[in-house]
């Protein structure tokens, strides 16, 4: 458990440092960087929602088939 916690802490610190370095050394302005980041976040969120809805529909179809057989 301790190794997993260490790994989790290390990954978290690495992610934060990576994000900070990307923000500081980005060739675009901070407002454009934030806009791009928000756009990518919204696209990822929408893709996740779409995938979730599709999977739910598949599972509901499978459940109906199981109930009717």
């Amino acid at each position: 458990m301790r190794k997993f916690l260490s790994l989790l802490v290390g990954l978290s610190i690495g992610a934060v440092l990576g994000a900070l370095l990307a923000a500081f050394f980005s060739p675009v302005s901070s407002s454009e960087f934030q806009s791009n980041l928000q756009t990518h976040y919204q696209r990822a969120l929408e893709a996740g929602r779409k995938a979730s809805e599709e999977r739910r529909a598949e599972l509901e179809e499978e459940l109906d088939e199981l109930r009717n057989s």
Side-chain angles (χ1 to χ4, degrees), residues 18-62:
L20 288 173
L21 288 173
F24 287 134
F25 294 109
S26 175
V28 296
S29 68
S30 64
S31 60
E32 189 176 349
F33 181 77
Q34 287 177 341
S35 175
N36 290 342
L37 189 62
Q38 187 174 23
T39 300
H40 289 293
Y41 174 75
Q42 290 297 328
R43 285 182 184 166
L45 194 61
E46 186 61 34
R49 286 182 182 147
K50 183 179 177 184
S52 174
E53 290 172 3
E54 289 174 357
R55 182 64 177 148
R56 182 182 179 118
E58 290 174 7
L59 291 173
E60 286 176 351
E61 283 181 24
E62 188 177 329

Side-chain angles (χ1 to χ4, degrees), residues 6-18:
S6 295
L7 176 66
L8 191 60
V9 169
L11 287 174
S12 299
I13 291 172
V16 168
L17 287 176

